Amino acid sequence: MDPPAAKRSRGCPAGPEERDAGAGAVRGRGRPEALLDLSAKRVAESWAFEQVEERFSRVPEPVQKRIVFWSFPRSEREICMYSSLGYQPPEGEHDARVPFTRGLHLLQSGAVDRVLQVGFHLSGNIREPGGPGEPERLFHVSISFDRCKITSVSCGCDNRDLFYCAHVVALSLYRIRHARQVELRLPISETLSQMNRDQLQKFVQYLISAHHTEVLPTAQRLADEILLLGSEINLVHGAPDPTAGAGIEDANCWHLDEEQIQEQVKQLLSNGGYYGASQQLRSMFSKVREMLRMRDSNGARMLILMTEQFLQDPRLALWRQQGAGMTDKCRQLWDELGALWVCVILSPHCKPEERAGWLQLLSKWDKLDVCPLEEGNYSFNGPSLQPAVAPNPELLQKGSTCITNTEGWVGHPLDPIGCLCRALLEACRLEEETLALYPESGSEKRKVAYQHVPVPGSPGESYLVLALEVVLLGLGQQRALPEGLYAQDKVVRSEEQLLALLEEVDLDERLVQVLRKQAGLLLEGGPFSGFGEVLFRESVPMHTCARYLFTALLPHDPDLAYRLALRAMRLPVLETAFPAGEPHPNPLDSIMSNRFPRWFILGHLETRQCELASAMLTAAKGDPKWLHAVLGSIQQNIHSPALLFKLAQDACKTATPASAPPDTTLLGIALELGLQVMRMTLNTMTWRRREMVRWLVSCATEIGPQALMNIMQNWYSLFTPVEAATIVAVTGTTHATLLRLQLDTARREELWACARTLALQCAMKDPQNCALPALTLCEKNHAAFEAAYQIVLDAAAGGLGHAHLFTVARYMEHRGLPLRAYKLATLALAQLSIAFNQDSHPAVNDVLWACSLSHSLGRHELSAIVPLIVRSIHCAPMLSDILRRWTLSAPGLGPLGARRAAKPLGADRAPLCQLLDAAVAAYITTSHSRLTHISPRHYGDFIEFLGKARETFLLAPDGHLQFAQFLENLKQTYKGKKKLMLLVRERFG
């Protein structure tokens, strides 16, 4: 049956007899007004109204008006869907850029007027305020609709966008909200059918007169064709009527600007490198999902248009020619495109002929050379894919030894688990009609609510239960990690997305029972389950899934929760099987030998493993049984020192709440983890070692003095000598630590003794770095201090450097032990050698300090150090500087306290004469050395050097004569350097 005013008879006036017959056919039934409205609504939605005759003109006028009235969309939800791209403003904000929001504002501000509905055509004016200083703008809007769908729109704003502009929104909302206020007319063909010849002629002439500049050429052309008997227009029965709606055989769908969609996608793909472009394309994907959810046929239409533009992306051919892979952003977009096609093809609401057409399209696209392939190998083939069995001055392998699953369902390019889960959850979704349609300012984001919807033909089953089972089935599948960075990253993202869906579901008792059942099946699933006893070397770890299951099951079945989480702690790719009886190497060596280059997301997987362990430690607080079980699993399965240290910190923080007594068991576990980190990183120093050592001392302090003394007594296997002496021993005996421990005198002395023993041991093992800390720590104990001093003396003979000896010597002087400082200074000088040209040697200040110290002690000490100075220092300026310092004042007090000299020492007498001779010789040697390769630009510096040399020469009784002979020798030897010798004569004669 054709709809009213079908194309072949649209606009044909019916005769009076036909109209009366039609009227009688309907009116004779005596239907009430409400029943007439219901029938008209059914006609408006589907044209399935058996009382409607072949021609719309045969239907009584009241029924015609009711059909026309009910044909306009009655839901604002569709208007919203077609006037926004899925943009989500920040929470609590109302984004004025969204066309629907702007249109709603225009409606509420009274901007809509002159609304007229003629048949299936709606028109009106929208007055929009202009900007500052601008006049008000007027836009004329026209909307065609059919069977409760808007089929075309036109607006004077010429806003070319994917969806309706704000003015179309305003007029549509006005028609929905104020339907009874809209002036309603029948299709224009029906009105014309009621006119006689004179009325029709007057109507046409007035219409042409009102718009003669626009329509006169068209009117004349149509008149010529009508007057020509054999013209095409006379061969067609009836005439078109844009206000009469479409025929039942015509497509019935919401208006979608296909050309604009293609242009928009093309432009966004050309800007694919930008974040905003990818986000807009994802918004378009979200719009397709929304259409599919509303069972709108435009969802598939829009997806086809987008796919065609994706395949025309010029980068595809370029990547193919270069043999390069896609960018990650582009590949993610293709994945979303593929997932949407899965939803479309699997939709139970599509017709068989539609599905066949889509499959034909997909097959056609797949044959194109530029159509990209999915990345990743999901099979378990390869020599390395062997099953890894659990290490215990002790389990037998059960079932098959190879996995028959050739593909991983989670992370698969077509995302079967995600599509199925979303479809099942969608069937259980509780949504109000206006949910999130008009977000109020400051409103909170509402959580999606789900309900159990029975599955037809399956008593006791619900779609919500099936969704939970499907997700757990996919996440718990034992599968190999695919090859390639993107494919591996996609596995991670897919897992997180699935678990995010489950997080939205509130677990009632029914779902908890399903959870317990599925968890048990996963544990007993054998090689098909990632939680089974047999785990293959390159299987995807179950940490993320296990953490969700652990948290969900813990309140209901703690035993099952812990068993499942402990089983999931494994990371077999980092495990190495060792033959019985062979020692296990350093854990870090084990890791390095197994870090396959293709495991690009290994760091992320280890982090998820750590998060699972942390969740178990926190939950097991106060339960020693599970705490020790978790500790054993951590020590066996986690191999990253940084993550172990984080677990230790988390456990310590959880064990020591501010308002409750500490949990000693959990504290002990934190300390044990910290000790393991120390042992693992002892020979592989990291920049965090100092932080780790300090934290370990503080953790031991929280437990008590015995724990602190234990780490001091066993420092060899935990710390370097420097760490033990400078951090452990010092931090463990600070005033704050002692106050924290609240020890009596005996226990405090015991702790001090332990720290001193530690310091002495460190000094013996590494005297260069630990001697001074040991001396400092042992100051208050004479025996210990003497032992530390003796260690320094012994180390001096064994190669302790002069810099360290000078440092300890200065410390001794600062502590009031000048003779010991002098002894160490002489030992340092014996190891020192400063060449003639090392004026800025790092030890210059130390040497001057040692000379000052010996001078202050007395003539005996000064006499003893002079030979050391002469033997170790060959730098003339430095020797002369020391000589002058010693001649300025008399030597100080000797060891017996009697003054040895009343006046300054003479440079030409013992013990300084030896130093003077050495200084003069050094100046002579240095001068010859400098003159060998001197350049003219250094002549001035050399003259100044000779001036300082003369000052030293003159300290000797015959110094004037020696200097003159020295100069004469220079003039004879280097007479070829005439300019330089001229300068020498000008300065010195």
Side-chain angles (χ1 to χ4, degrees):
M1 180 188 303
D2 287 338
K7 282 186 177 179
R8 66 173 181 270
S9 59
R10 187 176 296 163
C12 275
E17 304 87 359
E18 293 176 330
R19 284 201 296 272
D20 291 342
V26 176
R27 290 172 186 160
R29 300 181 184 271
R31 294 190 174 190
E33 285 295 306
L35 191 57
L36 266 181
D37 268 343
L38 178 61
S39 301
K41 186 185 299 186
R42 288 171 56 199
V43 172
E45 292 175 347
S46 64
W47 295 120
F49 189 44
E50 62 274 13
Q51 280 75 22
V52 178
E53 300 294 338
E54 183 177 359
R55 295 177 178 174
F56 189 58
S57 56
R58 295 183 179 181
V59 180
E61 185 173 317
V63 178
Q64 290 180 353
K65 288 189 175 181
R66 282 178 170 83
I67 293 175
V68 169
F69 179 84
W70 289 110
S71 290
F72 196 85
R74 294 183 294 279
S75 170
E76 298 182 9
R77 185 171 188 82
E78 287 83 359
I79 306 299
C80 178
M81 182 173 70
Y82 277 91
S83 58
S84 63
L85 193 57
Y87 173 82
Q88 295 296 332
E91 218 171 302
E93 292 187 13
H94 201 74
D95 189 8
R97 293 175 295 174
V98 178
F100 186 87
T101 305
R102 291 178 54 212
L104 183 62
H105 177 73
L106 288 172
L107 173 67
Q108 294 171 343
S109 62
V112 183
D113 64 355
R114 298 182 65 85
V115 181
L116 172 66
Q117 179 178 336
V118 179
F120 301 92
H121 183 85
L122 183 70
S123 62
N125 291 338
I126 310 296
R127 300 183 181 275
E128 186 173 27
E134 296 181 358
E136 182 183 69
R137 292 175 294 180
L138 179 66
F139 300 104
H140 181 72
V141 180
S142 298
I143 298 175
S144 296
F145 52 92
D146 177 36
R147 284 166 275 182
C148 303
K149 296 177 183 176
I150 293 177
T151 55
S152 67
V153 298
S154 174
C155 179
C157 70
D158 291 329
N159 181 25
R160 292 297 303 273
D161 200 351
L162 293 182
F163 300 106
Y164 308 158
C165 65
H167 314 109
V168 172
V169 172
L171 180 60
S172 302
L173 294 180
Y174 184 94
R175 173 59 176 80
I176 292 173
R177 295 189 178 189
H178 309 291
R180 302 294 178 182
Q181 300 177 21
V182 175
E183 189 175 355
L184 184 64
R185 295 288 187 272
L186 292 178
I188 193 67
S189 57
E190 297 300 316
T191 303
L192 293 177
S193 67
Q194 300 175 20
M195 297 181 183
N196 58 31
R197 183 193 177 286
D198 292 338
Q199 291 173 323
L200 285 172
Q201 183 170 356
K202 182 177 291 187
F203 171 79
V204 172
Q205 289 184 210
Y206 267 97
L207 180 63
I208 295 175
S209 177
H211 303 283
H212 65 279
T213 57
E214 292 91 356
V215 304
L216 187 58
T218 303
Q220 185 60 56
R221 177 177 60 80
L222 292 175
D224 292 343
E225 291 185 12
I226 290 175
L227 292 175
L228 187 62
L229 295 179
S231 65
E232 182 178 357
I233 196 172
N234 286 322
L235 298 177
V236 177
H237 180 70
D241 182 359
T243 69
I248 192 171
E249 72 280 359
D250 293 337
N252 175 240
C253 58
W254 287 80
H255 169 69
L256 195 67
D257 192 336
E258 298 187 359
E259 181 182 349
Q260 185 62 22
I261 288 178
Q262 291 174 318
E263 186 62 31
Q264 183 91 0
V265 175
K266 181 179 180 180
Q267 182 179 357
L268 292 174
L269 286 174
S270 66
N271 298 328
Y274 297 97
Y275 175 77
S278 298
Q279 288 299 103
Q280 284 187 287
L281 285 170
R282 288 191 175 91
S283 296
M284 296 180 74
F285 287 144
S286 298
K287 182 59 62 177
V288 173
R289 289 189 183 278
E290 187 179 357
M291 290 177 175
L292 295 178
R293 185 181 301 121
M294 300 291 293
R295 302 182 188 179
D296 190 336
S297 60
N298 278 340
R301 284 178 63 201
M302 185 171 175
L303 188 59
I304 291 173
L305 296 172
M306 295 184 69
T307 306
E308 290 174 343
Q309 289 303 311
F310 266 69
L311 288 168
Q312 294 176 19
D313 188 349
R315 294 177 298 172
L316 294 179
L318 181 63
W319 288 329
R320 180 177 175 84
Q321 292 173 1
Q322 296 176 345
M326 284 185 180
T327 62
D328 284 352
K329 287 183 179 179
C330 188
R331 191 170 294 281
Q332 290 176 15
L333 294 173
W334 274 95
D335 284 345
E336 293 188 45
L337 193 72
L340 282 173
W341 273 114
V342 173
C343 295
V344 169
I345 297 296
L346 297 182
S347 172
H349 307 294
C350 70
K351 300 175 182 178
E353 57 271 20
E354 289 178 327
R355 182 179 287 112
W358 295 331
L359 290 174
Q360 187 176 1
L361 267 178
L362 290 173
S363 178
K364 170 187 170 184
W365 292 332
D366 184 59
K367 294 176 183 177
L368 297 177
D369 291 338
V370 295
C371 186
L373 302 175
E374 297 88 354
E375 181 192 46
N377 177 18
Y378 295 83
S379 67
F380 273 85
N381 300 324
S384 62
L385 301 180
Q386 299 300 323
V389 187
N392 63 356
E394 293 176 6
L395 292 173
L396 294 178
Q397 291 191 24
K398 298 182 178 180
S400 176
T401 57
C402 64
I403 290 187
T404 57
N405 299 330
T406 58
E407 289 184 322
W409 298 328
V410 175
H412 189 279
L414 298 182
D415 191 23
I417 298 295
C419 291
L420 188 53
C421 175
R422 289 184 180 90
L424 293 170
L425 287 178
E426 191 65 37
C428 309
R429 192 168 180 172
L430 280 176
E431 271 191 322
E432 298 178 5
E433 180 68 19
T434 58
L435 178 61
L437 198 56
Y438 318 115
E440 297 293 336
S441 179
S443 62
E444 294 184 0
K445 201 173 182 179
R446 294 182 58 179
K447 184 178 179 180
V448 180
Y450 297 100
Q451 65 177 347
H452 286 281
V453 176
V455 178
S458 300
E461 289 280 11
S462 79
Y463 289 120
L464 198 55
V465 168
L466 291 179
L468 181 60
E469 291 178 344
V470 163
V471 173
L472 295 182
L473 184 65
L475 291 174
Q477 178 200 27
Q478 182 170 185
R479 56 198 186 277
L481 190 70
E483 296 178 356
L485 172 59
Y486 179 77
Q488 294 176 14
D489 182 64
K490 186 177 179 182
V491 169
V492 173
R493 286 187 286 107
S494 298
E495 287 183 346
E496 292 173 348
Q497 290 168 3
L498 289 173
L499 291 174
L501 290 175
L502 292 189
E503 293 286 354
E504 294 180 349
V505 179
D506 293 327
L507 297 177
D508 55 18
E509 184 60 30
R510 186 176 178 183
L511 293 179
V512 168
Q513 295 304 319
V514 173
L515 209 62
R516 295 176 68 176
K517 176 184 176 183
Q518 291 299 316
L521 292 175
L522 288 174
L523 285 173
E524 302 298 329
F528 297 95
S529 170
F531 293 88
E533 292 179 352
V534 178
L535 196 61
F536 286 76
R537 184 180 189 83
E538 296 193 34
S539 291
V540 176
M542 297 287 108
H543 308 138
T544 308
C545 174
R547 187 180 178 192
Y548 167 80
L549 290 173
F550 176 77
T551 305
L553 286 171
L554 190 62
H556 310 284
D557 193 340
D559 183 74
L560 179 59
Y562 279 108
R563 288 196 296 118
L564 192 78
L566 289 172
R567 180 73 65 80
M569 278 291 291
R570 299 168 297 179
L571 189 54
V573 74
L574 296 184
E575 301 295 339
T576 302
F578 299 99
E582 289 191 8
H584 195 293
N586 183 280
L588 286 181
D589 296 338
S590 174
I591 292 178
M592 295 308 295
S593 65
N594 290 291
R595 282 186 182 272
F596 300 141
R598 71 182 208 88
W599 279 64
F600 301 101
I601 60 168
L602 185 58
H604 176 85
L605 298 177
E606 289 181 296
T607 302
R608 290 290 180 261
Q609 182 188 38
C610 176
E611 291 172 354
L612 174 60
S614 181
M616 286 194 288
L617 280 177
T618 302
K621 179 182 177 182
D623 191 333
K625 170 193 170 185
W626 287 119
L627 279 176
H628 286 99
V630 174
L631 173 63
S633 179
I634 290 173
Q635 292 176 322
Q636 177 182 333
N637 295 297
I638 297 184
H639 306 281
S640 168
L643 295 179
L644 283 171
F645 180 59
K646 182 181 184 305
L647 284 174
Q649 288 179 305
D650 292 345
C652 184
K653 185 177 180 180
T654 304
T656 54
S659 57
D663 186 308
T664 55
T665 305
L666 190 53
L667 262 179
I669 286 178
L671 180 64
E672 184 61 34
L673 291 174
L675 295 176
Q676 182 175 348
V677 172
M678 292 296 102
R679 287 189 287 266
M680 292 175 67
T681 59
L682 180 58
N683 298 320
T684 55
M685 302 301 293
T686 69
W687 61 273
R688 297 192 65 188
R689 273 285 296 190
R690 290 184 65 84
E691 176 193 357
M692 293 174 176
V693 174
R694 292 183 186 279
W695 176 87
L696 188 70
V697 174
S698 66
C699 182
T701 303
E702 290 289 339
I703 295 177
Q706 191 58 49
L708 195 54
M709 287 188 286
N710 283 341
I711 65 171
M712 289 183 181
Q713 293 165 356
N714 298 289
W715 72 272
Y716 282 100
S717 62
L718 302 172
F719 315 108
T720 64
V722 176
E723 292 170 343
T726 61
I727 302 179
V728 179
V730 174
T731 307
T733 54
T734 59
H735 182 65
T737 301
L738 296 175
L739 284 179
R740 176 70 176 167
L741 293 173
Q742 298 180 347
L743 302 177
D744 55 24
T745 305
R747 291 285 284 171
R748 181 172 297 189
E749 181 55 34
E750 183 182 2
L751 180 60
W752 267 109
C754 190
R756 288 193 293 266
T757 303
L758 165 64
L760 291 174
Q761 292 172 345
C762 294
M764 292 180 64
K765 194 170 183 65
D766 186 5
Q768 289 191 352
N769 298 308
C770 301
L772 185 58
L775 286 167
T776 305
L777 197 67
C778 297
E779 281 180 351
K780 298 180 181 179
N781 186 281
H782 178 72
F785 187 81
E786 290 297 321
Y789 177 64
Q790 188 59 46
I791 290 173
V792 176
L793 294 179
D794 296 341
L800 186 61
H802 62 81
H804 294 93
L805 286 170
F806 276 128
T807 302
V808 177
R810 286 176 180 267
Y811 164 80
M812 287 295 183
E813 184 197 30
H814 184 68
R815 289 293 181 266
L817 301 169
L819 290 178
R820 292 191 174 184
Y822 174 79
K823 173 66 174 176
L824 293 171
T826 58
L827 293 174
L829 284 170
Q831 298 185 11
L832 184 62
S833 178
I834 299 180
F836 71 92
N837 58 349
Q838 291 183 302
D839 305 51
S840 58
H841 192 281
V844 168
N845 288 331
D846 288 328
V847 172
L848 295 177
W849 168 82
C851 293
S852 176
L853 174 65
S854 62
H855 185 267
S856 68
L857 289 175
R859 183 166 182 165
H860 176 75
E861 287 76 14
L862 188 145
S863 300
I865 205 173
V866 167
L868 292 174
I869 295 293
V870 172
R871 185 168 62 248
S872 300
I873 300 172
H874 308 286
C875 179
M878 192 173 177
L879 288 170
S880 62
D881 188 17
I882 295 172
L883 185 61
R884 279 192 296 272
R885 288 170 183 260
W886 278 347
T887 58
L888 292 177
S889 61
L893 297 176
L896 301 179
R899 182 169 294 278
R900 297 292 183 88
K903 60 180 181 179
L905 297 174
D908 57 337
R909 297 182 180 181
L912 298 187
C913 60
Q914 186 181 359
L915 182 60
L916 176 59
D917 294 341
V920 170
Y923 269 114
I924 294 173
T925 304
T926 304
S927 296
H928 285 289
S929 176
R930 293 182 66 171
L931 284 171
T932 303
H933 303 290
I934 194 169
S935 62
R937 62 175 181 166
H938 293 136
Y939 286 173
D941 294 338
F942 182 73
I943 297 300
E944 294 299 322
F945 177 77
L946 287 180
K948 294 179 180 179
R950 181 172 63 176
E951 294 175 0
T952 303
F953 273 76
L954 293 178
L955 292 175
D958 57 345
H960 182 75
L961 181 60
Q962 290 186 41
F963 187 69
Q965 292 176 348
F966 169 58
L967 288 180
E968 188 62 28
N969 181 266
L970 290 181
K971 294 174 185 177
Q972 292 298 324
T973 305
Y974 303 101
K975 58 184 178 181
K977 300 182 183 298
K978 296 181 180 180
K979 184 176 181 180
L980 176 60
M981 293 302 107
L982 179 62
L983 294 174
V984 170
R985 290 189 184 94
E986 290 178 353
R987 176 76 178 268
F988 303 106

